[in-house]
Amino acid sequence: MKIVDIKIYVNCPGRNFVTVKIETDKGIYGLGDATLNGREMAVVAYLEEHIKPCLIGKDAHQIEDIWQYLYRGCYWRKGPVTMTAIAAIDMALWDIKGKAADLPVYQLLGGKSREKIKVYGHANGKNIEETLDHLGRLIDEGYKAVRLQCAIPGLEGTYGTLADKKDYYELQSDRPLPPEQIWDTNTYLNFVPELFKKAREKYGMDVQLLHDVHSRLTPIEAARLGKILEPYNLFFLEDSVTAENQSGYKYVREHTTIPLAVGEIFNTIWDAKELIENQWIDYIRMAATHAGGITPMRRIADFASLYHIRMAPHGPPDISPIGHAANAHLNIWAPNFAIQEFIGFGGTTLNNVFKHPLTLEDGHLLLQDKPGLGVDFDEKAAEKYTYKRSYLPVSRLKDGTLWNW
Ligand code: EZ4
Ligand code: CO
């Protein structure tokens, strides 16, 4: 089955998405997600100029060889742009193989380990009260696990909500440049335990609670936060420190029993190798879209399983429904799947463009049985939603020093 064309689309049906469509001489096509929030057009150029010409005429069934060809073969390994581009090709090829076999992708991986995918939602607010109201609404909707983030008094527009009350994970296309936020670790560390104390007082110990530090602490600060939060029994503490230097997590680990999660910006298994083999973390948050696709995610899941580490993939609205579907097939299969981040996606604009096989029921995602990944993309409908340049925010300390966002 020969690849005859590769089409790359960039549209904004609510969010910017880069979509890859691989067409074959058998009439079967596959779809992949190549969305890299805030750097979309770099991936578009990588695919158009550097990948597409190499793949025309290749056998679409040769998923492993094509993955190796794009990873080893290009000499310049790793990196988010490269790995997001490879991810989209890989997903599209798994989609094609599934359609050719008339089987959902999870069947090709080895079948189901579970019937449904547990998710955690997000409760955000401009103060504790608002965040807890949001948590209450999510519990009422059936969520079993919720991440709590809250704007911090004295830190105008910080994590949770931006200054104009727009949620940080919405499209920021009305801002010509990255929005800037102020960060102060001491103010944060003095404030955040109160959020979890009040959440437990109001909703008890059953609901699973999570928190994302977005890499803003040093290892010893993260260790202190972990210890302070231990009584509130978090499901995990995410991105407590940056992980370019993986041994940072060793120091967090040594001081606290809070479960640790990291990985949403990792691109290859090498980004997590020491974290996993030293058991410095409990959950690995890599997602198919930014980690090179389904082929390497399968290896990462198996590698992690040797060290008691479970999968908790990144699931923001800046991953397209194709990427969410790829995660879902992996989640249904992986014996060591734990939880999927799910902020909700959909809305009429998005649903005009993507038809996807996922439904939320009682705090879990259900994956409909359809051949391949089970997503369809209406390229005509997508045309009217043109790409809008949008940046993630940046953080600075009060003296102007650039910090981790
Ligand atoms: O900031 O997806 O855990 N989730 C997150 C996300 C990320 C965005 C970056 O594009 O941290 O909201
Ligand atoms: Co995160």
Side-chain angles (χ1 to χ4, degrees):
M1 186 164 45
K2 280 197 163 49
I3 295 173
V4 292
D5 202 2
I6 300 180
K7 292 178 173 140
I8 297 120
Y9 305 88
V10 50
N11 309 102
C12 188
R15 295 293 310 218
N16 290 316
F17 293 128
V18 180
T19 303
V20 169
K21 183 178 188 182
I22 299 183
E23 295 176 347
T24 65
D25 62 353
K26 295 282 186 288
I28 298 176
Y29 65 87
L31 297 171
D33 177 23
T35 308
L36 184 61
N37 191 14
R39 294 293 184 270
E40 296 84 356
M41 301 312 275
V43 186
V44 171
Y46 195 107
L47 285 159
E48 283 282 2
E49 176 64 21
H50 305 297
I51 287 188
K52 179 176 166 177
C54 304
L55 298 189
I56 306 294
K58 284 205 183 297
D59 180 359
H61 274 308
Q62 294 289 93
I63 299 177
E64 188 66 55
D65 185 68
I66 289 174
W67 195 92
Q68 298 293 339
Y69 181 83
L70 295 176
Y71 180 78
R72 289 176 189 249
C74 90
Y75 186 62
W76 308 106
R77 297 173 186 216
K78 308 193 284 181
V81 175
T82 300
M83 299 313 290
T84 304
I86 296 176
I89 299 293
D90 184 79
M91 277 180 214
L93 295 177
W94 279 98
D95 193 24
I96 288 169
K97 198 182 278 296
K99 287 171 180 168
D102 198 27
L103 289 171
V105 165
Y106 74 79
Q107 293 289 14
L108 307 181
L109 296 172
K112 286 186 183 182
S113 290
R114 60 192 55 77
E115 292 303 321
K116 53 189 184 172
I117 299 162
K118 185 174 163 190
V119 302
Y120 69 91
H122 282 200
N124 291 352
K126 63 176 186 294
N127 53 44
I128 291 182
E129 198 190 351
E130 208 181 275
T131 307
L132 295 189
D133 286 348
H134 194 180
L135 169 60
R137 290 198 300 279
L138 293 177
I139 293 171
D140 291 344
E141 285 171 31
Y143 281 87
K144 314 296 176 220
V146 180
R147 192 189 87 163
L148 303 184
Q149 307 293 138
C150 185
I152 298 159
L155 301 181
E156 192 49 25
T158 202
Y159 203 63
T161 48
L162 286 167
D164 60 2
K165 311 288 185 288
K166 192 171 183 169
D167 280 326
Y168 76 95
Y169 50 78
E170 285 176 34
L171 190 76
Q172 301 292 329
S173 59
D174 50 344
R175 303 167 194 268
L177 292 172
E180 300 214 356
Q181 304 175 343
I182 297 296
W183 180 254
D184 180 72
T185 295
N186 198 40
T187 311
Y188 166 76
L189 287 178
N190 285 335
F191 173 77
V192 80
E194 194 64 15
L195 172 63
F196 285 89
K197 182 168 179 276
K198 294 228 165 88
R200 286 302 183 203
E201 280 167 8
K202 190 159 178 193
Y203 296 105
M205 291 303 275
D206 280 349
V207 62
Q208 291 176 318
L209 300 178
L210 305 88
H211 182 62
D212 189 349
V213 182
H214 249 253
S215 309
R216 291 173 194 183
L217 300 178
T218 64
I220 206 67
E221 290 163 352
R224 179 169 152 234
L225 177 63
K227 281 172 93 161
I228 296 170
L229 293 179
E230 276 172 23
Y232 311 118
N233 190 23
L234 267 63
F235 188 83
F236 64 58
L237 185 68
E238 175 187 342
D239 286 1
S240 53
V241 294
T242 55
E244 287 101 321
N245 180 352
Q246 297 180 36
S247 66
Y249 277 83
K250 173 177 189 278
Y251 299 98
V252 187
R253 190 59 142 188
E254 280 171 355
H255 295 286
T256 173
T257 59
I258 199 166
L260 300 171
V262 65
E264 67 181 46
I265 67 166
F266 294 177
N267 310 122
T268 77
I269 198 166
W270 302 102
D271 292 331
K273 180 175 175 286
E274 293 166 60
L275 290 168
I276 292 172
E277 67 192 6
N278 291 301
Q279 297 176 223
W280 287 331
I281 59 169
D282 300 280
Y283 299 94
I284 179 79
R285 302 203 60 259
M286 295 167 78
T289 302
H290 303 126
I294 292 167
T295 299
M297 281 292 284
R298 195 174 47 160
R299 286 200 179 102
I300 291 159
D302 282 338
F303 178 49
S305 76
L306 304 180
Y307 299 94
H308 309 283
I309 293 164
R310 296 198 291 158
M311 309 296 283
H314 190 208
D318 49 82
I319 280 178
S320 94
I322 303 165
H324 283 285
N327 282 347
H329 286 271
L330 285 156
N331 294 342
I332 282 284
W333 156 73
N336 56 329
F337 165 77
I339 201 163
Q340 170 67 57
E341 182 182 33
F342 182 75
I343 312 176
F345 61 87
T348 42
T349 314
L350 187 129
N351 291 335
N352 283 340
V353 174
F354 292 97
K355 303 273 173 282
H356 63 78
L358 298 167
T359 45
L360 185 72
E361 211 182 281
D362 196 34
H364 294 76
L365 281 174
L366 305 181
L367 174 62
Q368 244 177 292
D369 259 348
K370 286 190 170 170
L373 293 173
V375 184
D376 237 318
F377 172 67
D378 184 338
E379 45 206 85
K380 279 273 156 300
E383 259 169 32
K384 61 174 177 283
Y385 306 110
T386 50
Y387 162 76
K388 296 183 173 75
R389 185 192 297 151
S390 168
Y391 292 102
L392 283 162
V394 298
S395 279
R396 288 184 190 278
L397 304 184
K398 285 176 173 168
D399 68 359
T401 308
L402 198 89
W403 205 244
N404 311 316
W405 178 73

PDB file of all heavy atoms in Angstrom, residues 120 122 147 159 168 212-214 238-239 264 285 314 341, ligand 2:
ATOM      1  N   TYR A 120      -8.847  13.094  34.807  1.00  0.00           N
ATOM      2  CA  TYR A 120      -8.951  14.174  35.797  1.00  0.00           C
ATOM      3  C   TYR A 120      -9.263  15.469  35.077  1.00  0.00           C
ATOM      4  O   TYR A 120      -8.709  15.770  34.022  1.00  0.00           O
ATOM      5  CB  TYR A 120      -7.720  14.279  36.684  1.00  0.00           C
ATOM      6  CG  TYR A 120      -6.422  14.746  36.074  1.00  0.00           C
ATOM      7  CD1 TYR A 120      -6.078  16.102  36.070  1.00  0.00           C
ATOM      8  CD2 TYR A 120      -5.521  13.837  35.544  1.00  0.00           C
ATOM      9  CE1 TYR A 120      -4.854  16.525  35.553  1.00  0.00           C
ATOM     10  CE2 TYR A 120      -4.300  14.256  35.020  1.00  0.00           C
ATOM     11  CZ  TYR A 120      -3.984  15.603  35.019  1.00  0.00           C
ATOM     12  OH  TYR A 120      -2.769  16.027  34.505  1.00  0.00           O
ATOM     13  N   HIS A 122     -10.069  19.844  35.354  1.00  0.00           N
ATOM     14  CA  HIS A 122      -9.395  21.016  35.910  1.00  0.00           C
ATOM     15  C   HIS A 122     -10.402  21.922  36.608  1.00  0.00           C
ATOM     16  O   HIS A 122     -11.399  22.301  36.001  1.00  0.00           O
ATOM     17  CB  HIS A 122      -8.786  21.880  34.800  1.00  0.00           C
ATOM     18  CG  HIS A 122      -7.506  21.359  34.248  1.00  0.00           C
ATOM     19  ND1 HIS A 122      -6.632  22.167  33.571  1.00  0.00           N
ATOM     20  CD2 HIS A 122      -6.959  20.124  34.253  1.00  0.00           C
ATOM     21  CE1 HIS A 122      -5.587  21.447  33.183  1.00  0.00           C
ATOM     22  NE2 HIS A 122      -5.760  20.203  33.572  1.00  0.00           N
ATOM     23  N   ARG A 147      -7.789  18.432  39.089  1.00  0.00           N
ATOM     24  CA  ARG A 147      -6.597  19.250  39.347  1.00  0.00           C
ATOM     25  C   ARG A 147      -7.038  20.623  39.819  1.00  0.00           C
ATOM     26  O   ARG A 147      -7.906  21.244  39.190  1.00  0.00           O
ATOM     27  CB  ARG A 147      -5.805  19.374  38.029  1.00  0.00           C
ATOM     28  CG  ARG A 147      -4.427  19.948  38.184  1.00  0.00           C
ATOM     29  CD  ARG A 147      -3.794  20.253  36.835  1.00  0.00           C
ATOM     30  NE  ARG A 147      -4.166  21.577  36.366  1.00  0.00           N
ATOM     31  CZ  ARG A 147      -3.530  22.244  35.394  1.00  0.00           C
ATOM     32  NH1 ARG A 147      -2.516  21.676  34.748  1.00  0.00           N
ATOM     33  NH2 ARG A 147      -3.920  23.446  35.036  1.00  0.00           N
ATOM     34  N   TYR A 159      -0.877  31.848  37.591  1.00  0.00           N
ATOM     35  CA  TYR A 159      -1.387  30.552  37.185  1.00  0.00           C
ATOM     36  C   TYR A 159      -2.822  30.287  37.648  1.00  0.00           C
ATOM     37  O   TYR A 159      -3.165  30.474  38.790  1.00  0.00           O
ATOM     38  CB  TYR A 159      -0.476  29.478  37.757  1.00  0.00           C
ATOM     39  CG  TYR A 159      -0.573  28.208  36.993  1.00  0.00           C
ATOM     40  CD1 TYR A 159      -0.197  28.180  35.666  1.00  0.00           C
ATOM     41  CD2 TYR A 159      -1.080  27.070  37.566  1.00  0.00           C
ATOM     42  CE1 TYR A 159      -0.298  27.015  34.944  1.00  0.00           C
ATOM     43  CE2 TYR A 159      -1.181  25.905  36.852  1.00  0.00           C
ATOM     44  CZ  TYR A 159      -0.791  25.886  35.534  1.00  0.00           C
ATOM     45  OH  TYR A 159      -0.909  24.738  34.820  1.00  0.00           O
ATOM     46  N   TYR A 168      -5.877  30.501  31.235  1.00  0.00           N
ATOM     47  CA  TYR A 168      -4.563  30.505  30.577  1.00  0.00           C
ATOM     48  C   TYR A 168      -4.513  29.544  29.402  1.00  0.00           C
ATOM     49  O   TYR A 168      -3.700  29.682  28.515  1.00  0.00           O
ATOM     50  CB  TYR A 168      -3.469  30.160  31.583  1.00  0.00           C
ATOM     51  CG  TYR A 168      -3.434  28.685  31.898  1.00  0.00           C
ATOM     52  CD1 TYR A 168      -2.557  27.855  31.210  1.00  0.00           C
ATOM     53  CD2 TYR A 168      -4.299  28.121  32.823  1.00  0.00           C
ATOM     54  CE1 TYR A 168      -2.550  26.503  31.447  1.00  0.00           C
ATOM     55  CE2 TYR A 168      -4.293  26.784  33.065  1.00  0.00           C
ATOM     56  CZ  TYR A 168      -3.419  25.974  32.379  1.00  0.00           C
ATOM     57  OH  TYR A 168      -3.432  24.642  32.617  1.00  0.00           O
ATOM     58  N   ASP A 212      -0.589  21.135  39.573  1.00  0.00           N
ATOM     59  CA  ASP A 212       0.480  21.320  38.586  1.00  0.00           C
ATOM     60  C   ASP A 212       1.322  22.534  38.991  1.00  0.00           C
ATOM     61  O   ASP A 212       0.806  23.650  39.044  1.00  0.00           O
ATOM     62  CB  ASP A 212      -0.158  21.544  37.203  1.00  0.00           C
ATOM     63  CG  ASP A 212       0.840  21.534  36.060  1.00  0.00           C
ATOM     64  OD1 ASP A 212       2.063  21.562  36.331  1.00  0.00           O
ATOM     65  OD2 ASP A 212       0.398  21.503  34.903  1.00  0.00           O
ATOM     66  N   VAL A 213       2.594  22.309  39.280  1.00  0.00           N
ATOM     67  CA  VAL A 213       3.482  23.398  39.713  1.00  0.00           C
ATOM     68  C   VAL A 213       4.094  24.122  38.500  1.00  0.00           C
ATOM     69  O   VAL A 213       4.630  25.218  38.623  1.00  0.00           O
ATOM     70  CB  VAL A 213       4.597  22.851  40.643  1.00  0.00           C
ATOM     71  CG1 VAL A 213       5.499  23.969  41.149  1.00  0.00           C
ATOM     72  CG2 VAL A 213       4.002  22.100  41.823  1.00  0.00           C
ATOM     73  N   HIS A 214       3.976  23.509  37.341  1.00  0.00           N
ATOM     74  CA  HIS A 214       4.517  24.094  36.111  1.00  0.00           C
ATOM     75  C   HIS A 214       5.999  24.448  36.256  1.00  0.00           C
ATOM     76  O   HIS A 214       6.452  25.501  35.792  1.00  0.00           O
ATOM     77  CB  HIS A 214       3.684  25.306  35.670  1.00  0.00           C
ATOM     78  CG  HIS A 214       2.921  25.036  34.427  1.00  0.00           C
ATOM     79  ND1 HIS A 214       3.250  25.567  33.204  1.00  0.00           N
ATOM     80  CD2 HIS A 214       1.840  24.265  34.200  1.00  0.00           C
ATOM     81  CE1 HIS A 214       2.411  25.141  32.291  1.00  0.00           C
ATOM     82  NE2 HIS A 214       1.537  24.344  32.858  1.00  0.00           N
ATOM     83  N   GLU A 238       2.360  17.552  39.901  1.00  0.00           N
ATOM     84  CA  GLU A 238       2.896  17.543  38.530  1.00  0.00           C
ATOM     85  C   GLU A 238       3.969  18.613  38.343  1.00  0.00           C
ATOM     86  O   GLU A 238       3.833  19.727  38.852  1.00  0.00           O
ATOM     87  CB  GLU A 238       1.719  17.795  37.581  1.00  0.00           C
ATOM     88  CG  GLU A 238       2.122  17.933  36.133  1.00  0.00           C
ATOM     89  CD  GLU A 238       0.943  18.358  35.256  1.00  0.00           C
ATOM     90  OE1 GLU A 238      -0.222  18.214  35.674  1.00  0.00           O
ATOM     91  OE2 GLU A 238       1.219  18.849  34.150  1.00  0.00           O
ATOM     92  N   ASP A 239       4.977  18.284  37.546  1.00  0.00           N
ATOM     93  CA  ASP A 239       6.011  19.240  37.111  1.00  0.00           C
ATOM     94  C   ASP A 239       6.484  20.110  38.276  1.00  0.00           C
ATOM     95  O   ASP A 239       6.502  21.344  38.174  1.00  0.00           O
ATOM     96  CB  ASP A 239       5.469  20.129  35.978  1.00  0.00           C
ATOM     97  CG  ASP A 239       5.364  19.385  34.658  1.00  0.00           C
ATOM     98  OD1 ASP A 239       5.681  18.188  34.617  1.00  0.00           O
ATOM     99  OD2 ASP A 239       4.950  20.002  33.661  1.00  0.00           O
ATOM    100  N   GLU A 264       5.027  16.216  30.297  1.00  0.00           N
ATOM    101  CA  GLU A 264       4.235  16.727  29.172  1.00  0.00           C
ATOM    102  C   GLU A 264       5.084  17.405  28.096  1.00  0.00           C
ATOM    103  O   GLU A 264       4.669  17.466  26.951  1.00  0.00           O
ATOM    104  CB  GLU A 264       3.112  17.652  29.658  1.00  0.00           C
ATOM    105  CG  GLU A 264       3.591  18.959  30.260  1.00  0.00           C
ATOM    106  CD  GLU A 264       2.436  19.824  30.751  1.00  0.00           C
ATOM    107  OE1 GLU A 264       1.543  19.296  31.425  1.00  0.00           O
ATOM    108  OE2 GLU A 264       2.431  21.015  30.450  1.00  0.00           O
ATOM    109  N   ARG A 285       3.915  11.582  32.065  1.00  0.00           N
ATOM    110  CA  ARG A 285       2.824  12.339  31.449  1.00  0.00           C
ATOM    111  C   ARG A 285       3.028  12.600  29.966  1.00  0.00           C
ATOM    112  O   ARG A 285       2.444  13.514  29.402  1.00  0.00           O
ATOM    113  CB  ARG A 285       2.613  13.655  32.205  1.00  0.00           C
ATOM    114  CG  ARG A 285       2.314  13.423  33.683  1.00  0.00           C
ATOM    115  CD  ARG A 285       1.594  14.577  34.309  1.00  0.00           C
ATOM    116  NE  ARG A 285       0.339  14.809  33.650  1.00  0.00           N
ATOM    117  CZ  ARG A 285       0.098  15.752  32.748  1.00  0.00           C
ATOM    118  NH1 ARG A 285       1.035  16.600  32.398  1.00  0.00           N
ATOM    119  NH2 ARG A 285      -1.073  15.864  32.193  1.00  0.00           N
ATOM    120  N   HIS A 314      -0.609  13.769  29.099  1.00  0.00           N
ATOM    121  CA  HIS A 314      -1.013  15.169  28.925  1.00  0.00           C
ATOM    122  C   HIS A 314      -2.247  15.204  28.023  1.00  0.00           C
ATOM    123  O   HIS A 314      -2.298  14.501  27.028  1.00  0.00           O
ATOM    124  CB  HIS A 314       0.158  15.882  28.242  1.00  0.00           C
ATOM    125  CG  HIS A 314       0.069  17.359  28.181  1.00  0.00           C
ATOM    126  ND1 HIS A 314       0.676  18.084  27.183  1.00  0.00           N
ATOM    127  CD2 HIS A 314      -0.535  18.264  28.980  1.00  0.00           C
ATOM    128  CE1 HIS A 314       0.466  19.372  27.388  1.00  0.00           C
ATOM    129  NE2 HIS A 314      -0.265  19.510  28.471  1.00  0.00           N
ATOM    130  N   GLU A 341      -5.416  13.231  31.619  1.00  0.00           N
ATOM    131  CA  GLU A 341      -5.853  14.622  31.816  1.00  0.00           C
ATOM    132  C   GLU A 341      -6.928  14.933  30.781  1.00  0.00           C
ATOM    133  O   GLU A 341      -6.785  14.617  29.602  1.00  0.00           O
ATOM    134  CB  GLU A 341      -4.660  15.567  31.642  1.00  0.00           C
ATOM    135  CG  GLU A 341      -5.000  17.028  31.884  1.00  0.00           C
ATOM    136  CD  GLU A 341      -3.801  17.956  31.653  1.00  0.00           C
ATOM    137  OE1 GLU A 341      -2.964  17.656  30.781  1.00  0.00           O
ATOM    138  OE2 GLU A 341      -3.716  18.979  32.348  1.00  0.00           O
TER     139      GLU A 341
HETATM  140 CO    CO B   2       1.001  20.407  33.108  1.00  0.00          CO
END
